[in-house]
Amino acid sequence: MSNPSGRRSANEIDVETVSMSRRFVRANVAISEFLDRTLPLRLRIDGNRTFATEIAPALLTADARVYDLGGGARPFVSLPEKRRLKLFVVGLDLDAVELSKAPRGIYDEEIEADLTSFEGRGDADVVICQATLEHVRDGEGALRGIASCVKPGGMVAIFSPSRNAVFARLNRVLPEGMKRRLLFAIYPEKGKGHDGFPAFYDKCLPSEVEVIAKRNGLELIERRLFWKSSYFYFFVPAFLVWRIWLGFSALLLGKDAAETYAYVFRRKP
């Protein structure tokens, strides 16, 4: 029904504002990605995607017992992949409700537990911990719990943001409600992942992870450092400042300046 007064309703104005904001974000993302393509490839690799499509899948073998730590409603292994490889998948999460939201049949065993105080059975062939380490309050306890799940000779794959990443620094200082509203307003799709959960980044530097893992009997097999995250692409000036800061940080901090990282460890006999 048309508006006889010729004035736009508040709802129409809100819809137009949202539409303009999204066009603004898309334009800035496009420019930022264009500028990014001038950088070396190693600085443009998406760590989370690489972990999910290359690093962790390479560890999955037929009939393996796989622990998914912190996967909850979004397990790492898909149901078709589980059936193809005949995997036994154990899901561990702090929240049983999250586990219950996972695809039916994906978990053969569900464990509601705090990873920071969990004592595993040492029976896993593969342990996968993707984007979970940053959300625990006790990083050392979580790594100890991870190591307790895997059997001698078994493999551990970890992906996490670094505590020194710019977005991690902002995450720690901004009020929880504010940062959630900003994040989901700019990137609505991030509400489908772990991004909305509180993050603490305790013992979340690559150097700290390596030391704690070694202390818990995990032998370093592979380390991958990633220098890309998507948070600042929405506004070109912020993107440029972030990239310049990242370059200087890398000179000063080395591997601890990486935005995200992935590790593969083997449990020592």
Side-chain angles (χ1 to χ4, degrees):
M1 183 180 293
S2 61
N3 188 337
S5 67
R7 296 178 180 177
R8 292 183 299 169
S9 67
N11 185 60
E12 289 173 329
I13 294 174
D14 288 343
V15 170
E16 183 177 342
T17 301
V18 170
S19 178
M20 290 177 61
S21 298
R22 289 180 177 172
R23 288 199 299 270
F24 174 83
V25 169
R26 285 197 297 268
N28 276 263
V29 168
I31 295 170
S32 297
E33 289 179 342
F34 173 78
L35 295 173
D36 228 15
R37 288 195 288 273
T38 65
L39 298 175
L41 178 60
R42 66 182 182 83
L43 301 180
R44 297 184 278 121
I45 298 174
D46 184 296
N48 198 31
R49 184 180 299 118
T50 301
F51 180 85
T53 60
E54 299 177 21
I55 297 172
L59 305 178
L60 300 177
T61 57
D63 300 311
R65 179 178 288 264
V66 180
Y67 275 58
D68 188 337
L69 305 182
R74 292 163 291 275
F76 179 82
V77 179
S78 68
L79 200 53
E81 184 72 357
K82 175 194 172 182
R83 289 170 176 165
R84 185 181 72 83
L85 292 174
K86 300 179 181 178
L87 304 174
F88 186 96
V89 181
V90 179
L92 182 147
D93 200 277
L94 184 64
D95 189 349
V97 175
E98 284 293 308
L99 288 167
S100 70
K101 295 177 183 176
R104 187 178 180 86
I106 191 66
Y107 294 131
D108 297 288
E109 182 182 353
E110 296 179 2
I111 300 174
E112 181 185 9
D114 184 343
L115 183 58
T116 64
S117 57
F118 180 70
E119 182 64 35
R121 299 185 292 254
D123 60 346
D125 297 293
V126 180
V127 171
I128 295 173
C129 186
Q130 181 183 22
T132 296
L133 200 58
E134 71 271 27
H135 296 292
V136 303
R137 293 181 181 274
D138 178 8
E140 183 161 3
L143 285 162
R144 187 168 55 246
I146 290 170
S148 74
C149 293
V150 65
K151 67 183 183 182
M155 307 298 286
V156 173
I158 296 172
F159 172 82
S160 176
S162 172
R163 180 180 175 86
N164 282 336
V166 177
F167 68 84
R169 293 174 184 270
L170 291 174
N171 209 347
R172 297 199 303 276
V173 299
L174 291 176
E176 195 65 35
M178 177 189 294
K179 66 188 179 187
R180 285 172 62 90
R181 287 193 297 272
L182 286 172
L183 178 65
F184 298 151
I186 297 169
Y187 299 112
E189 70 279 2
K190 288 190 177 292
K192 300 176 183 178
H194 288 182
D195 297 87
F197 297 145
F200 308 101
Y201 304 98
D202 183 65
K203 300 295 187 297
C204 231
L205 293 177
S207 60
E208 294 172 324
V209 170
E210 291 179 21
V211 169
I212 298 170
K214 183 177 181 180
R215 197 155 55 222
N216 285 277
L218 298 178
E219 175 188 12
L220 176 61
I221 300 300
E222 181 181 7
R223 175 182 65 213
R224 295 281 299 274
L225 304 175
F226 303 102
W227 308 90
K228 177 177 179 175
S229 57
S230 60
Y231 293 98
F232 301 103
Y233 285 64
F234 75 98
F235 188 45
V236 173
F239 164 81
L240 293 172
V241 171
W242 163 68
R243 274 299 188 191
I244 292 169
W245 173 266
L246 191 57
F248 281 116
S249 296
L251 292 175
L252 295 173
L253 302 174
K255 63 186 177 185
D256 283 344
E259 290 284 284
T260 60
Y261 52 84
Y263 280 100
V264 175
F265 296 103
R266 179 189 291 120
R267 182 65 186 262
K268 294 179 181 179

